[in-house]
């Protein structure tokens, strides 16, 4: 660090500290803690902010206001959360435990209201949940609001399902159950009905500067030379003409979602306050939505810019100071080289694992594991203090975000392969078992993504329709095998609720005009509690899928090898078998999975070499196997083999 920077970093800290005295008067203990944390984070926070906003004439004003609001938030932080902060500071890697199981749900579809969620706590217990993500539940415009991702206020809950007080109450009830509450932080945009947007529409220049708003097409045209259309079926281009103000507004997603302007330090500060507001309601993990898009730079595609990382890192530092137990989960569904850049203890401790998700579906279609084996060997590793969040399905589409060079390396043509996968999962490819729908087909680029539920994409819908017991059986096996991987490969497994019963596509969204154009509604379905409560027959498909999931979860929780840490892919020398070894806490477990409907064998030689032993106990079948004859795997069978000591 240069001498100049050193002096000014220090000087600014002292100036800021002197401004805090009044705020903390009579609360020496709170001040001591705050000061300690502020000092610890100061260097990096100051550096980032200086980089981002140092050229603004009023930089110090913003700096001071930012720290003042963080201090206010710390003073207001409920004591129960301060206790949690202390617990987490003593065990910062708590989320890496094999005991962790995540789930995600839409409150309105699952239980109608937040208060009704309390009735389902026994259900969460049965699933062994420790992490519960409630899909965006904020105040939103009526009609189409992108499934809650067009937020009109980060401080108000959609009145149809409850209030912010309900959230605070729920978070503490869940915490007592050992479940961390996860909410979205829609960081890239607000709805056009947010009070900032309303004021901007009224002509208030201060608030127009909260967004990227342009008087004519000069800059939009220049930007657009390099931009990708994210929702091409909504609109061509990333800008929306607003008749009222007679200007162009940057809208990466839907036209009613206005991108926030982080060039403006006012926006950075305002969002920092919203973030800490949520943290003080007891939210333990914030899912940072659409992070790649938050910083724009002319001449680039305006995704994954270095400043996007700086903004998140600055928020991370603020969280460490004013709400230290808060974690961030990155939602970057982009090229794997970019996904990984958001993952760091000083940025996002957690991240969705879109590559694993996409490649599991890829392997299921091809029955081959070459691509997943190559890509996981190369890309699964992340910093030791972080974790993947592994999932099969979520509320969004499946995008084929694997790296083209990875594919070429194993002689797969990436363009042709994506076309094949889209044909396969929309059921057009001859012999396909899947029943998905296209999402956001772009005729110009040929890009397409896939919607559909886990069960429908894995063949259950087809099997049931054809009343073919063999197809049904195979589909169930596929679902369970995929799940075994998500539970064992390393990271927090995330269940998209509904999936635990193997729910099928729901085509009724076609008749709702606010949803009909967005095929993702096919896999956003209402929970049928009446039906489930009647199912007691373990032979029923739903019950089998559910029971098997619970069984696997319970086994996972007993295996210290499955806590986060290394995962070593090994070559099975069988194109249908994926093999990896997990080793942790003195335990070594070898996972082998068959991605084909035909029986396969892991050779004796491979078994011995990677099993590092002769005799193995399989936690799934509760049997012991010896390496002598190699390992025989039935259709879609998998093993969790512990080397006998
Ligand atoms: C997210 O997804 C949400 O998950 C979506 O439900 C929202 O519609 C969207 O943001 C806007 O808020 O394009 O198809 O990595 O790929 O953030 C999903 C960036 C999406 C995007 C991702 C986005």
């Amino acid at each position: 660090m240069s001498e100049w920077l050193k002096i000014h970093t220090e000087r600014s800290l002292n100036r800021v500290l002197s401004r805090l005295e009044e705020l903390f008067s009579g609360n020496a203990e709170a001040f001591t803690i705050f000061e300690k944390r502020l000092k610890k984070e100061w260097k990096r926070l100051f550096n980032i902010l200086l980089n981002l906003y140092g050229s603004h004439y009023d930089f110090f004003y913003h700096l001071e206001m930012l720290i003042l609001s963080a201090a206010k938030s710390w003073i207001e932080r409920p004591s129960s959360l301060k206790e949690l902060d202390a617990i987490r500071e003593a065990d910062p890697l708590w989320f890496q435990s094999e005991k962790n199981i995540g789930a995600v749900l839409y409150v309105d579809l699952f239980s109608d209201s937040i208060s009704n969620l309390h009735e389902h706590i026994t259900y969460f217990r049965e699933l062994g949940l420790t992490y519960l993500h409630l899909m965006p539940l904020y105040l939103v415009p009526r009609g189409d609001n992108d499934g809650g991702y067009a937020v009109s206020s980060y401080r108000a809950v959609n009145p149809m399902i409850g209030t912010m007080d309900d959230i605070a109450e729920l978070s503490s009830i869940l915490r007592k159950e050992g479940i961390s509450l996860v909410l979205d932080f829609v960081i890239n945009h607000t709805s056009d009905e947010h009070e900032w947007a309303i004021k901007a529409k009224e002509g208030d220049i201060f608030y127009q500067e909260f967004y990227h708003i342009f008087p004519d097409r000069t800059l939009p045209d220049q930007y657009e030379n390099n931009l990708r259309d994210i929702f091409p079926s909504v609109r061509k281009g990333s800008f929306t003409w607003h008749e009222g103000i007679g200007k162009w507004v940057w809208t990466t997603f839907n036209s009613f979602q206005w991108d926030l302007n982080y060039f403006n330090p006012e926006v950075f500060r305002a969002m920092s306050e919203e973030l800490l507001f949520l943290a003080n309601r007891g939210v333990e993990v914030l899912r940072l939505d659409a992070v790649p898009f938050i910083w724009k730079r002319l001449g680039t595609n305006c995704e994954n810019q270095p400043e996007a990382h700086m903004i998140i890192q600055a928020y991370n530092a603020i969280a460490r100071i004013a709400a230290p137990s808060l974690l961030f989960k990155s939602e970057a569904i982009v090229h794997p080289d970019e996904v990984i850049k958001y993952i760091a203890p000083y940025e996002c401790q957690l991240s969705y694992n879109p590559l694993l998700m996409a490649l599991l579906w890829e392997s299921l279609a091809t029955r081959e594991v070459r691509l997943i084996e190559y890509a996981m060997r190369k890309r699964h590793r992340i910093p030791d203090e972080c974790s993947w969040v592994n999932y099969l399905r979520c509320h969004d589409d499946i995008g084929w975000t694997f790296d083209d060079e990875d594919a070429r390396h194993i002689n797969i043509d990436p363009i042709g392969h994506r076309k094949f996968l889209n044909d396969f999962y929309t059921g057009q490819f001859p012999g396909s078992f899947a029943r998905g729908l296209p999402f956001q087909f772009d005729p110009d680029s040929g890009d397409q993504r896939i919607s559909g539920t886990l069960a429908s994409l894995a063949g259950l819908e087809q099997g049931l329709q054809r009343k073919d017991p063999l197809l049904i059986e195979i589909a169930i096996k596929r679902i369970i095998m995929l799940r075994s991987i998500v539970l064992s490969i390393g990271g927090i497994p995330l269940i998209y609720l509904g999936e635990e019963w193997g729910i099928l596509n729901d085509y009724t969204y076609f008749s709702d005009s606010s949803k009909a154009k967005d095929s993702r509604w096919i896999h956003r379905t209402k929970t049928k509690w009446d039906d489930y409560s009647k199912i007691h027959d373990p032979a029923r498909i739903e019950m089998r899928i559910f029971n098997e999931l619970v069984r696997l979860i319970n086994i996972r929780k007993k295996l210290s090898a499955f806590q986060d840490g290394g995962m070593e892919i090994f070559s099975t020398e069988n194109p249908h078998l994926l093999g990896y070894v997990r080793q942790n806490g003195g335990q070594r477990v070898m996972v082998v999975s068959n991605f084909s409907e035909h029986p396969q064998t892991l050779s004796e030689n491979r078994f011995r070499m990677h099993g590092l032993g002769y005799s193995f106990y399989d936690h799934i079948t509760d049997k012991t196997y010896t390496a002598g004859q190699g390992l025989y795997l039935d259709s879609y069978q998998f093993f969790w083999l512990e080397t006998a000591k």
Side-chain angles (χ1 to χ4, degrees), residues 210-227:
F210 267 48
Y211 301 94
H212 295 276
I213 295 184
F214 305 90
D216 55 44
R217 287 293 310 183
T218 319
L219 275 169
D221 283 343
Q222 288 177 31
Y223 276 114
E224 243 160 34
N225 286 331
N226 305 291
L227 296 181

Side-chain angles (χ1 to χ4, degrees), residues 20 101 207 231 247 316 458 471 533:
L20 291 176
I101 302 288
Y207 285 102
F231 282 177
K247 290 179 183 174
N316 175 302
L471 291 185
S533 60

Side-chain angles (χ1 to χ4, degrees), residues 106 135 146-147 149-150 184 186 189 228 230-231 253-254 257 287 289-293 303 331-334 352 394-397 439-440 449 518 520 524:
Y106 282 95
M135 291 296 294
D146 192 20
Y149 283 98
D184 281 85
V186 186
H189 44 263
R228 207 162 52 102
I230 307 301
F231 282 177
F253 296 94
N254 289 289
Q257 287 164 304
R287 169 196 183 276
D289 181 60
V291 285
F293 301 93
E303 292 180 43
E331 193 259 346
I333 315 301
V334 286
Y352 280 101
C394 69
H395 70 288
D396 276 336
D397 47 284
F439 178 64
Q440 299 294 345
R449 289 120 81 181
D518 189 335
R520 291 175 297 177
R524 299 173 179 175

Side-chain angles (χ1 to χ4, degrees), residues 140-306:
V140 284
R142 270 178 190 282
D144 190 0
N145 49 52
D146 192 20
Y149 283 98
V151 175
S152 301
S153 168
Y154 299 93
R155 296 181 184 233
V157 167
N158 181 345
M160 308 279 279
I161 59 167
T163 65
M164 253 314 154
D165 287 343
D166 293 343
I167 285 295
E169 188 194 351
L170 178 73
S171 76
S172 76
I173 292 174
L174 289 176
R175 196 166 318 110
K176 289 194 188 97
E177 291 289 329
I179 302 175
S180 301
L181 178 65
V182 184
L183 289 188
D184 281 85
F185 191 54
V186 186
I187 186 173
N188 178 66
H189 44 263
T190 71
S191 87
D192 61 352
E193 292 183 12
H194 192 287
E195 66 167 314
W196 304 334
I198 291 174
K199 287 185 182 148
K201 285 194 267 189
E202 287 165 1
D204 186 329
I205 300 294
F206 180 81
Y207 285 102
Q208 286 193 1
E209 287 176 356
F210 267 48
Y211 301 94
H212 295 276
I213 295 184
F214 305 90
D216 55 44
R217 287 293 310 183
T218 319
L219 275 169
D221 283 343
Q222 288 177 31
Y223 276 114
E224 243 160 34
N225 286 331
N226 305 291
L227 296 181
R228 207 162 52 102
D229 286 341
I230 307 301
F231 282 177
S233 62
V234 167
R235 182 197 61 237
K236 276 288 172 203
S238 295
F239 299 85
T240 300
W241 171 253
H242 191 274
E243 199 55 54
I245 48 175
K247 290 179 183 174
W248 291 91
V249 185
W250 198 314
T251 56
T252 298
F253 296 94
N254 289 289
S255 298
F256 51 81
Q257 287 164 304
W258 289 20
D259 286 36
L260 284 163
N261 174 16
Y262 284 91
F263 298 160
N264 180 354
E266 293 282 355
V267 169
F268 178 87
R269 268 175 44 217
M271 288 299 276
S272 166
E273 288 177 13
E274 305 311 83
L275 187 154
L276 291 177
F277 173 86
L278 292 169
N280 278 1
R281 304 283 125 2
V283 180
E284 294 187 36
V285 180
L286 281 177
R287 169 196 183 276
L288 304 188
D289 181 60
V291 285
F293 301 93
I294 60 179
W295 193 269
K296 327 289 189 192
R297 173 171 282 112
L298 202 58
T300 74
N301 66 357
C302 299
E303 292 180 43
N304 311 302
Q305 296 300 306

Side-chain angles (χ1 to χ4, degrees), residues 321-598:
I321 296 166
S325 53
L326 184 70
L327 300 179
F328 292 158
K329 175 170 76 163
S330 151
E331 193 259 346
I333 315 301
V334 286
H335 189 279
D337 287 346
E338 299 296 340
V339 173
I340 208 142
K341 292 183 191 157
Y342 294 91
I343 312 174
Y346 51 82
E347 193 166 331
C348 294
Q349 300 88 346
L350 305 174
S351 165
Y352 280 101
N353 194 347
L355 182 63
L356 175 70
M357 184 277 289
L359 292 181
L360 284 172
W361 289 107
E362 189 271 343
S363 310
L364 204 70
T366 59
R367 279 80 161 173
E368 292 206 349
V369 302
R370 291 185 304 146
L371 188 52
I372 194 168
E373 183 181 297
Y374 179 75
M376 286 302 121
R377 181 175 286 142
K378 186 166 152 189
R379 301 178 183 276
H380 187 77
R381 208 184 155 83
I382 51 175
D384 290 345
E385 308 92 330
C386 299
S387 281
W388 287 116
V389 174
N390 295 322
Y391 63 113
L392 296 169
R393 292 298 296 113
C394 69
H395 70 288
D396 276 336
D397 47 284
I398 301 175
W400 309 110
T401 58
F402 56 81
D403 173 54
D404 287 3
E405 282 313 310
D406 286 2
R408 285 193 196 101
H409 183 85
I410 51 168
N411 298 320
I412 289 176
D413 161 38
I415 315 271
H417 201 50
R418 287 197 183 90
K419 164 106 178 59
F420 156 73
L421 291 166
N422 283 323
D423 288 349
F424 189 91
Y425 281 106
T426 49
Q428 294 167 55
F429 189 81
S432 165
F433 50 75
R435 286 285 161 83
L437 285 187
F439 178 64
Q440 299 294 345
F441 173 62
D442 185 342
D444 296 344
S445 64
D447 281 351
Q448 188 183 299
R449 289 120 81 181
I450 296 292
S451 290
T453 66
L454 168 63
S456 290
L457 294 175
L460 188 58
E461 187 174 324
Q462 185 199 56
L464 288 170
Q465 234 160 32
R466 294 193 187 163
K467 298 196 174 59
D468 183 329
L470 186 65
L471 291 185
I472 294 173
E473 208 48 40
I474 291 181
I476 296 173
K477 286 183 176 178
R478 284 193 193 103
I479 293 171
I480 297 170
M481 188 272 292
L482 287 181
R483 220 161 234 163
S484 142
I485 293 181
V486 163
L487 286 164
S488 64
I489 200 162
I492 302 176
L494 184 64
I495 308 159
Y496 179 53
L497 289 183
E499 165 183 298
E500 76 278 27
W501 298 100
I503 49 147
L504 301 177
N505 288 344
D506 179 355
Y507 297 92
T508 57
Y509 79 98
F510 284 137
S511 53
D512 180 337
S513 63
S514 70
K515 296 176 176 161
K517 284 195 200 124
D518 189 335
S519 67
R520 291 175 297 177
W521 286 100
I522 203 168
H523 53 252
R524 299 173 179 175
T525 61
K526 189 128 184 88
T527 311
K528 299 192 184 85
W529 292 112
D530 285 349
D531 292 359
Y532 298 147
S533 60
K534 283 183 215 128
I535 307 174
H536 297 295
D537 176 1
R540 281 280 300 267
I541 292 169
E542 294 93 330
M543 209 63 219
R544 277 181 61 194
I545 294 178
F546 182 82
N547 286 342
E548 196 53 20
L549 170 63
V550 171
R551 192 172 83 87
L552 292 184
I553 287 174
N554 289 331
I555 303 175
R556 166 185 154 106
K557 289 192 178 222
K558 288 192 204 116
L559 298 179
S560 62
F562 287 170
Q563 78 196 30
D564 272 9
M567 187 283 293
E568 209 186 306
I569 293 270
F570 67 87
S571 165
T572 60
E573 287 183 353
N574 176 328
H576 312 290
L577 296 183
L578 181 68
Y580 49 84
V581 171
R582 301 295 320 282
Q583 198 163 0
N584 270 306
Q587 187 179 49
R588 188 172 195 280
V589 171
M590 175 179 178
V591 177
V592 189
S593 316
N594 180 5
F595 274 79
S596 138
E597 45 269 83
H598 304 294

